[in-house]
Amino acid sequence: MAAFDKLILGVGVSSFAIFQLLFHVLSSWVSARVTSGFNNLDQKRKIEWNSRTVSTFHALVVGAFCLYILLYDEAVNADHVWGDPSIVKLNLAITTGYLISDLLLIIFYWKAIGDIFFVIHHLVALYAYYFVLDRGLLAYFANFRLLAEFSTPFVNQRWFFEVLGYSKSSKGNIVNGVLMTVVFFLARIAVIPVYYSHVAFEYGTEAFHRLGFAAQSAWFISSIVLDVMNLMWMVKITKGCYKVICLIGQGEVKAHKNGKSE
């Protein structure tokens, strides 16, 4: 095994171990000191809390790494199909460790955090990332998909506010809800035309044919499945944001009426 492949394996295994440690030990320890509300949660919600804390940490680390690659990795940006995947592999090794860790936790704590859509999401992503980690191809497109992680902290924060008992009309909840919708749209939906325009540009080229049927299938199937799921989630989030905006409107009407009555 080449030295770099050993490094990638080491990063993946370390990532798995760190995310397990975060879930089982560090998340509870830190959360109990940050907010007293954590200790008042039942066991089921504590499990989901820790899962979402780990999810947010992963999103921040991988999202920052992803953005750096898109801006500064000349090799990958110059050749979207066969560009040197070294830096992308490191990022995917972190994500792979997280996905395997989270998948095992979902299965083990199914009654608390079980969700078939997340299982499908994780398995599809792992299937696609295998081709990058093992064969070093499609690094640009694999990294591009990780832009989606920028929306994760806002989605998790919405849940944190909910279980801590924050009113849906509270300022923090409203601001986060709007930001969640905007960032989710920008990171997962608005980029779809950009992503597939790059796919179309590569389709039929010599580089594309060198991929082989297995890699081509993994590329197309994983992309379509993940984007269908993102569109489904976007619909739900948009409906939630609409309700939040309605709450703002109702609050303004009440304030206006109170002002008149006084």
Side-chain angles (χ1 to χ4, degrees), residues 147-162:
L147 282 172
E149 291 301 327
F150 282 104
S151 64
T152 300
F154 299 100
V155 175
N156 289 335
Q157 188 59 47
R158 175 184 176 277
W159 186 87
F160 291 140
F161 278 144
E162 181 180 336

Side-chain angles (χ1 to χ4, degrees), residues 27 44 67 72 85 109 127 129 151 154 182 186 193 206 210-211 213:
S27 174
K44 182 178 178 180
L67 191 59
Y72 300 110
Y109 296 107
Y127 174 57
Y129 291 158
S151 64
F154 299 100
V182 171
L186 292 175
E206 180 185 352
R210 284 171 55 203
L211 290 173
F213 180 75

Side-chain angles (χ1 to χ4, degrees), residues 31 38 41 45-53 159-160:
S31 298
F38 175 78
L41 301 177
R45 285 187 168 179
K46 283 183 178 179
I47 289 171
E48 185 166 359
W49 179 291
N50 291 334
S51 174
R52 288 180 179 273
T53 300
W159 186 87
F160 291 140

